[in-house]
Amino acid sequence: MRTTRAIRTPGGLSVRLDVRATVVIALILLAALTASVVLIGTGDFPIPAGDVLKTLLGNGNAGQEFIINELRLPRVLVGLLVGASLGLGGALFQAVSRNPLGSPDVLGLSQGATAGALTMIVLFSGSAAQITLGALVGGLVTGLAIYLLAWKQGVHGYRLVLVGIGVSAIVTAVNGYLLTRSTLTEAAQAVVWMTGSLSGRDWAQVWPLLWLCAVLVPLVLVNARGLRMMEMGDDVSHALGVRVERVRLLLLVAAVLLTAAATAAAGPVSFVALTAPQLARRLTRSPGPNLLPSLCMGATLLVTADWVSQKVFGADQLPVGVVTGVLGGVYLLWLLVTERRAGRI
């Protein structure tokens, strides 16, 4: 039995509050902040958590302030923002497609962003800013292609997933071709980027992601009610006054932008968008898309994975995308087995 409270404001507004989901979100946020503080203190020059907190509050010495504020804090913030963007984007794709496998990794969005980045690396020897722009454009073009190919008097879940899988295969082949056209130096640079890494990230990657999230996250949450109604079917949603295709297109564009921007900032970090919404749903036990819990779970997963990679293999020895790939692959196998036993696949 779920515990739901209704909160009414003096202005007459009423908000239903799911107590369990609220507690889960608070605990996930606490885990994300704890992992972030520990991660900031991890490296060749270890810093105790207490000193990290003092430095973040402006009470550290000059050496600690330089290491934390200039070297480590931007990397952690990029990790939090990338994880949050992937978690929210994955939740949107899974809700729109009504399929737990409907994530950017499966639908080809990450591969499309990779194609854009590889194009800038191989064909134009682009700078870091140009590679980022190429990844963003590649993700947007791929998302538009999937939407148009899946359109047939509207976009439906399984058709979106099937078209996405086909586009993913095509773009993966294009990526392989681009690698064969590259020099040894370009191929090495491309492979490092394609793995997904937070190494070397600075404030230049933080601010664009922060502004994008500041615009898109409230927009998505405002439309969360319509998305939840759409899970009952298009006909029911129409009857309840939801402009189904308008809401679906708006949320898909937001999901593509979030995924492409995250990929542009850190490379195609795999499986976070797939696993974060499912883990959030299992913790909250709440129906609906679970957008806010998925956002928080994505941020927690990525900074925790980055801490694991640094703790086990040393700073910058193992890209975070390798860790999320291993953990996500195990989770995907478990999910497939569970869906098969339930008779859904």
Side-chain angles (χ1 to χ4, degrees):
M1 182 176 179
R2 303 196 57 80
T3 304
T4 304
R5 305 259 180 134
I7 300 177
R8 293 179 174 83
T9 65
L13 295 176
S14 178
V15 179
R16 295 180 62 191
L17 181 66
D18 188 318
V19 176
R20 180 186 176 91
T22 303
V23 172
V24 168
I25 291 172
L27 292 175
I28 296 174
L29 283 175
L30 179 62
L33 293 175
T34 302
S36 299
V37 170
V38 174
L39 180 58
I40 290 173
T42 302
D44 295 333
F45 183 77
I47 302 175
D51 291 341
V52 170
L53 292 174
K54 286 197 303 182
T55 303
L56 291 176
L57 294 174
N59 298 319
N61 59 49
Q64 291 175 340
E65 287 183 355
F66 174 76
I67 292 173
I68 291 175
N69 295 331
E70 299 300 325
L71 300 180
R72 297 181 182 175
L73 180 59
R75 172 177 178 147
V76 173
L77 290 177
V78 170
L80 289 170
L81 291 169
V82 167
S85 299
L86 291 175
L88 182 57
L92 289 172
F93 277 117
Q94 291 179 20
V96 170
S97 65
R98 302 176 200 166
N99 192 317
L101 297 178
S103 80
D105 305 298
V106 178
L107 297 180
L109 271 299
S110 299
Q111 291 84 348
T114 301
L118 285 178
T119 300
M120 299 306 297
I121 293 173
V122 175
L123 301 183
F124 301 102
S125 300
S127 63
Q130 291 170 330
I131 293 171
T132 299
L133 179 61
L136 188 60
V137 172
L140 291 173
V141 170
T142 304
L144 178 62
I146 293 172
Y147 185 83
L148 293 177
L149 290 172
W151 175 271
K152 185 180 179 182
Q153 297 180 344
V155 175
H156 299 283
Y158 280 99
R159 188 160 64 238
L160 185 70
V161 172
L162 291 174
V163 170
I165 291 173
V167 171
S168 176
I170 295 172
V171 178
T172 300
V174 171
N175 292 341
Y177 170 74
L178 289 172
L179 282 176
T180 63
R181 290 283 307 274
S182 63
T183 64
L184 184 60
T185 302
E186 291 170 344
Q189 181 185 6
V191 169
V192 171
W193 190 90
M194 289 170 63
T195 305
S197 174
L198 296 176
S199 177
R201 298 310 184 263
D202 56 25
W203 292 104
Q205 283 84 34
V206 173
W207 296 117
L209 263 178
L210 185 61
W211 283 112
L212 185 72
C213 289
V215 172
L216 291 182
V217 171
L219 179 65
V220 169
L221 295 180
V222 165
N223 288 276
R225 180 174 176 271
L227 181 62
R228 185 166 183 172
M229 289 183 178
M230 285 164 55
E231 292 187 340
M232 296 185 291
D234 290 359
D235 293 337
V236 175
S237 302
H238 274 300
L240 293 174
V242 178
R243 295 184 176 181
V244 175
E245 287 305 324
R246 179 180 177 182
V247 173
R248 182 179 286 132
L249 177 60
L250 177 65
L251 294 179
L252 282 175
V253 169
V256 169
L257 284 172
L258 288 167
T259 303
T263 305
V269 180
S270 58
F271 287 112
V272 173
L274 174 69
T275 57
Q278 294 299 314
L279 292 176
R281 182 188 293 271
R282 281 168 170 75
L283 288 175
T284 62
R285 298 179 186 173
S286 176
N290 284 275
L291 298 179
L292 196 55
S294 299
L295 181 151
C296 299
M297 180 60 73
T300 303
L301 285 177
L302 194 53
V303 293
T304 303
D306 194 33
W307 174 80
V308 170
S309 69
Q310 290 195 44
K311 193 69 175 177
V312 177
F313 298 95
D316 302 330
Q317 294 288 325
L318 187 70
V320 67
V322 176
V323 178
T324 60
V326 172
L327 297 177
V330 173
Y331 175 80
L332 178 60
L333 290 174
W334 175 84
L335 180 63
L336 290 172
V337 171
T338 301
E339 293 290 303
R340 179 179 174 83
R341 288 178 176 174
R344 288 188 284 267
I345 60 174

